[in-house]
Amino acid sequence: MKNLVILGGGYGGIRILDRLLPQLPDDVSVTLIDRAPYHSLKTEFYALAAGTISDQDVRVPFPENPKLKIIYAEIVKIDLEGKKIVLENEADVTYDDLIIGLGCEDKYHNVPGADKFTYSIQTIEKSRSTYQALNNLAPGSIVSIVGAGLSGVELASELVESRPDLKVKLFDRGNYILSAFPVKLSTYVQNWFDNNGVDIVSNSNITRVEENLLYNHDEPISSDAIVWTAGVQPNRIVREMDVEKDKQGRVVLTKHHNIPNNEHVYVVGDCASLPHAPSAQLAEGQGEQIVQILLKRWNREELPETLPVIKLKGILGSLGKKHGFGLVNEKAVTGRVARLLKSGILWMYKYHRG
């Protein structure tokens, strides 16, 4: 009996399970290793941290199948030579085929104090801690959010609705917010923030963080809470692997999504070196292709010379509960339509994933 081990029940890992389990060969079993007993909707952690949704709203149960074994444990190391996973306080798990989907962590860009004195929304545990910190602030407190990408924008807007008594500052390295998006979208978001009292600090450069103190261009700014949303990097376990990586530290793969010279080890999602920026959509598309490759290899069929380009349908962001923005099939959408689209996609994912 072959054992396929999947590390991480994120978007890529769950899509693989959803697609693979119904057609799993009789001589293959699957082991999922994750620290939590559920799949978490990471794209919604900003709302959990802001207090506008509950913890239960971002949890989705893992699939059930007699050939699926789930181990809840902390991963210590991936031993490629020994073909085993070293776990904390648990026995090692051996594998015949391995899929690594461990996601990403905050990247602090060597800013002193950033890892110690800021809050995060990268994991459900950290998002809970961030919620506790923000919820316990006194009226009139200052919240500084470092990083004005999608996560920072959504957290700032959600926090304004959740705690209108707080003063929210959003620090952006660019000349204007969401500069990678069409001007129509960035202008819409800028106007929304202006109308809702969010202070956008453009051309910022955070040089140091201390307790309740943020240094922008070495100028101190008092803050009652600081949340870091200024970049990500692959999980520590992946960073420590002795394999080829790109400039962002992501694992370089073959066209069939396995590491070079090892057709038994695949990397899916944020840790994989792919042409697009990491996203849930990209991880799911990659996961579906990995399932096709595994089934062909198990059946000893010839692999395709090329795989289809993973097409991303777009990106959607929320501005509170009633407004949003995004690109759908390269067309800019704003306002209630964008927000309704995002809510609909989330509902479909939670209840009609398979």
Side-chain angles (χ1 to χ4, degrees), residues 234 244-254 257 267-276 282 286:
E244 184 182 358
K245 302 185 181 78
D246 63 16
K247 293 180 180 180
Q248 285 75 41
R250 301 185 177 100
V251 179
V252 173
L253 303 173
T254 70
H257 304 297
V267 183
V268 65
D270 298 347
C271 296
S273 180
L274 298 171
H276 303 285
L282 186 60
Q286 190 193 6

Side-chain angles (χ1 to χ4, degrees), residues 68-82:
L68 172 63
K69 178 183 179 182
I70 303 178
I71 298 175
Y72 305 117
E74 194 74 34
I75 299 168
V76 176
K77 179 184 177 182
I78 299 172
D79 183 353
L80 293 178
E81 289 189 5

Side-chain angles (χ1 to χ4, degrees), residues 113 143 186 190 204 212 225 241 292 299 324 329 350:
V143 177
S186 59
Q190 175 76 57
S204 65
N212 297 331
M241 290 175 61
Q292 297 172 16
N299 291 327
N329 295 325
K350 288 181 69 174

Side-chain angles (χ1 to χ4, degrees), residues 153 156-158 160-161 187-198 319-324:
V153 165
S157 61
E158 203 79 7
V160 165
E161 290 198 350
T187 302
Y188 178 82
V189 175
Q190 175 76 57
N191 290 338
W192 192 94
F193 280 137
D194 289 343
N195 294 332
N196 287 272
V198 175
L319 293 171
K321 288 290 180 276
K322 295 182 179 180
H323 301 272

Side-chain angles (χ1 to χ4, degrees), residues 45-52 117-121 126-145 151-152 154-160 162-169 212 223-229:
F45 284 173
Y46 72 92
L48 175 61
T52 55
F117 297 111
T118 66
Y119 293 95
S120 169
I121 58 171
K126 291 181 178 180
S127 298
R128 288 171 182 146
S129 298
T130 301
Y131 162 71
Q132 291 289 340
L134 298 178
N135 185 62
N136 290 332
L137 290 175
S141 296
I142 298 173
V143 177
S144 292
I145 299 173
S151 295
E154 290 190 308
L155 176 60
S157 61
E158 203 79 7
L159 190 57
V160 165
S162 174
R163 291 288 308 272
D165 55 296
L166 300 176
K167 177 62 178 177
V168 179
K169 293 179 177 289
N212 297 331
S223 304
D224 297 288
I226 304 168
V227 185
W228 192 271
T229 61

Side-chain angles (χ1 to χ4, degrees), residues 103-108 231-235 239 248 250 270:
C104 58
E105 303 171 354
D106 287 299
K107 185 173 184 178
Y108 296 104
V232 295
Q233 61 184 342
N235 183 282
R239 297 202 308 272
Q248 285 75 41
R250 301 185 177 100
D270 298 347

